[in-house]
Amino acid sequence: MAVSMNSSARTGKTVLGSDEIRRALTRIGHEILERTDGGEDVVLLGIPTRGVPLARRLAARLADTEGLAVPAGALDITLYRDDLRLRPARTLGRTEIPESGIDGKVVLLVDDVLFSGRTVRAALDALNDLGRPRAVQLAVLVDRGHRELPIRPDYVGKNLPTAKREQVRVLLAEIDGEDAVTLQDAAEVSR
């Protein structure tokens, strides 16, 4: 569970600052190059909300590091979620597939936090309706454990063992005005 929070009201323990996030994305970018034969047929698709700027940052890192133009887009999973009936109505987001498409490509799904695995399952269902990639991989900034589905990331910025009652908050400059990952007890949030 990733939760947005205004930086002025930020509480909890900071587990990643802006420098650590930058280094984690740089490392993930190098791992992508190593595991995908130089990244030639890779397409990055961010899962909204914070997966989209993370995918764009990874694309920029790959361009800076290797001069490789890796297409990046967004994959809205709203209609594929299994909790639609349990939560208030959500606004549909935009799916932006790069012009090169996804057929025959290595599609790299990018998200901020991996928790139960249900968001990734929804992304796989959405992706299935858009084409047929050669392979699908997963990159996350934070893996907090507590999986409910057999889903495992290929690339992880930080493994962060948590209690179920804790909340991982990811802040990104593009959305929140700063970069940070914080951890706090849910009891603190409800105060």
Side-chain angles (χ1 to χ4, degrees):
M1 170 186 292
V3 181
S4 161
M5 177 176 256
N6 182 324
S7 62
S8 63
R10 179 166 45 119
T11 59
K13 175 184 172 189
T14 299
V15 291
L16 291 176
S18 60
D19 287 342
E20 290 91 358
I21 290 171
R22 182 183 44 75
R23 282 192 293 272
L25 292 175
T26 299
R27 182 176 34 78
I28 288 171
H30 287 290
E31 290 175 10
I32 290 168
L33 292 171
E34 290 172 9
R35 295 184 195 173
T36 61
D37 296 325
E40 289 297 322
D41 286 330
V42 172
V43 173
L44 300 168
L45 292 181
I47 299 171
T49 298
R50 286 165 182 76
V52 176
L54 289 172
R56 292 190 176 124
R57 288 185 191 189
L58 277 172
R61 293 253 179 339
L62 294 170
D64 291 344
T65 305
E66 296 293 315
L68 184 65
V70 175
L75 181 64
D76 180 52
I77 62 163
T78 304
L79 294 177
Y80 297 88
R81 296 183 60 93
D82 63 3
D83 63 354
L84 282 177
R85 60 182 167 55
L86 304 174
R87 295 193 175 186
R90 296 173 183 243
T91 304
L92 292 178
R94 288 184 54 176
T95 292
E96 300 170 11
I97 302 298
E99 282 186 36
S100 60
I102 62 168
D103 291 331
K105 307 283 186 180
V106 175
V107 173
L108 188 62
L109 298 173
V110 181
D111 204 4
D112 57 350
V113 177
L114 179 57
F115 184 31
S116 67
R118 293 182 181 280
T119 297
V120 176
R121 189 227 22 105
L124 292 169
D125 289 346
L127 194 60
N128 192 47
D129 284 349
L130 296 173
R132 184 168 180 169
R134 182 174 80 231
V136 179
Q137 297 179 351
L138 175 63
V140 296
L141 182 59
V142 176
D143 182 352
R144 65 169 293 185
H146 304 290
R147 218 73 77 240
E148 296 172 7
L149 299 172
I151 291 175
R152 184 183 56 124
D154 299 281
Y155 311 96
V156 178
K158 178 155 183 82
N159 285 297
L160 184 62
T162 62
K164 280 195 172 187
R165 70 178 185 280
E166 292 176 309
Q167 290 186 343
V168 175
R169 298 182 183 282
V170 173
L171 300 154
L172 295 178
E174 296 90 337
I175 297 166
D176 307 294
E178 71 172 315
D179 286 347
V181 176
T182 65
L183 181 66
Q184 83 181 80
D185 195 285
E188 294 174 20
V189 174
S190 61
R191 288 184 202 160

